[in-house]
């Protein structure tokens, strides 16, 4: 998957306080206002068969994004058209996912943030989990009486954080699969959608 992401000025008439998501097979588009409703953050998630350079500044082609969402709600077209206008920005990121690590500390060395638990962005939790790590780590290190206590504090930090961050990693993956209707959630729900009440009743007659 590739995420096209950027900011545009809040279009006239667009709600300044609402997150909106459009979902379709294998793609979804979402917008939410930022900077007190002056700007609209947009993200379009689409499938891709090529890799994307790992970078925070890889430009996304608005025409390619528009082609992915041709025929969708005109609001999406309006947002994409604004990318090339004044104040619009557009970047793209490859979406890469990793399973939770079984450990991330060794003696006096540990990790935090994405290095410890990279996750897909579908729960909007990457930075939040990194900040929680930082709070936990700082609190436990502060309680150390000497450097000899540090390995124990790092082990306690990892124990405290590992299950929670792993749960968020898995939840982000599930959320993305659900949005794009192409993953295990759809498989899990197939029994609901494929149920034919008429055929079931006819079978009893
Ligand atoms: C499209 C997208 C949408 C996202 N949306 C959200 C969201 O809505 N909410 C949210 O909470 N999170 C979101 N995230 C995730 C969030 O950006 C990351 O979780 C967060 O940036 C991780 O912070 P970090 O400090 O662990 O790592 P990074 O921000 O990756 O920082 C690591 C730094 O280390 C530097 N570095 C790497 N190697 C070296 C080296 N050898 N020497 C020196 N420096 C080095 C890198 O250049 C970088 O500056 C999103 C991410 C993406 C890609």
């Amino acid at each position: 998957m590739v995420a096209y992401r950027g900011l545009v000025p809040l279009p006239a008439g667009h709600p300044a306080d609402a997150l909106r998501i459009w979902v379709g097979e294998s793609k979804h588009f979402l917008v939410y206002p930022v900077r007190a409703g002056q700007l609209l953050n947009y993200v379009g998630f689409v499938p891709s068969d090529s890799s994307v350079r790992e970078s925070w500044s890889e430009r996304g082609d608005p025409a390619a994004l528009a082609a992915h969402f041709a025929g969708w709600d005109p609001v999406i077209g309006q947002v994409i058209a604004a990318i090339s206008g004044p104040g619009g920005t557009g970047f793209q990121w490859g979406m890469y996912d990793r399973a939770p690590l079984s450990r991330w500390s060794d003696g006096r060395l540990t990790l935090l943030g994405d290095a410890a638990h990279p996750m897909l962005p579908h729960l909007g939790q990457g930075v939040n989990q990194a900040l929680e790590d930082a709070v936990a780590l700082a609190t436990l290190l502060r309680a150390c009486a000497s450097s000899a206590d540090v390995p124990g504090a790092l082990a306690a930090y990892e124990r405290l954080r590992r299950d929670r961050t792993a749960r968020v990693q898995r939840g982000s993956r599930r959320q993305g699969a659900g949005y794009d209707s192409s993953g295990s959630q759809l498989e899990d729900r197939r029994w609901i959608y494929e149920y034919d009440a008429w055929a079931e009743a006819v079978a009893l007659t």
Side-chain angles (χ1 to χ4, degrees):
M1 298 293 287
V2 169
Y4 288 79
R5 187 175 201 194
L7 298 167
V8 295
L10 191 79
H14 196 97
D17 57 356
L19 167 77
R20 301 170 84 184
I21 304 183
W22 293 259
V23 295
E25 183 145 8
S26 306
K27 338 180 171 170
H28 66 281
F29 196 93
L30 65 91
V31 295
Y32 54 87
V34 294
R35 200 179 293 169
Q38 291 172 34
L39 298 174
L40 194 66
N41 182 90
Y42 68 87
V43 197
F45 293 91
V46 300
S48 168
D49 53 11
S50 57
S51 60
V52 175
R53 195 166 66 89
E54 193 174 331
S55 157
W56 285 95
S57 55
E58 184 80 2
R59 297 270 158 194
D61 176 8
L65 179 59
H68 278 293
F69 291 96
W72 287 46
D73 188 332
V75 172
I76 297 178
Q78 190 189 8
V79 171
I80 297 173
I83 298 171
S84 311
T89 60
F91 301 95
Q92 64 170 316
W93 284 268
M95 295 287 107
Y96 299 104
D97 193 16
R98 284 188 191 277
L101 297 173
S102 55
R103 56 192 280 262
W104 68 59
S105 303
D106 187 8
R108 294 166 59 79
L109 179 76
T110 195
L111 302 174
L112 82 167
D114 279 9
H117 40 68
M119 61 185 70
L120 292 170
H122 303 299
L123 289 179
Q125 279 294 310
V127 169
N128 296 345
Q129 293 307 310
L131 290 173
E132 289 183 10
D133 288 348
V135 169
L137 189 55
T139 305
L140 290 162
L141 285 176
R142 199 174 181 187
C144 291
S146 76
S147 59
D149 297 337
V150 168
L154 298 190
Y157 150 74
E158 184 188 301
R159 275 196 305 278
L160 179 65
R161 298 295 302 153
R162 212 179 40 213
D163 287 353
R164 176 170 165 81
T165 55
R167 188 173 171 193
V168 180
Q169 274 177 295
R170 291 194 197 96
S172 300
R173 184 186 288 181
R174 260 199 316 276
Q175 183 84 352
Y179 282 149
D180 298 326
S181 311
S182 58
S184 57
Q185 276 200 354
L186 184 64
E187 281 308 312
D188 292 348
R189 286 191 240 128
R190 197 170 286 283
W191 65 276
I192 300 176
Y193 303 136
E194 292 191 343
Y195 184 80
D196 184 336
W198 179 78
E200 296 287 331
V202 165
L204 293 181
T205 59

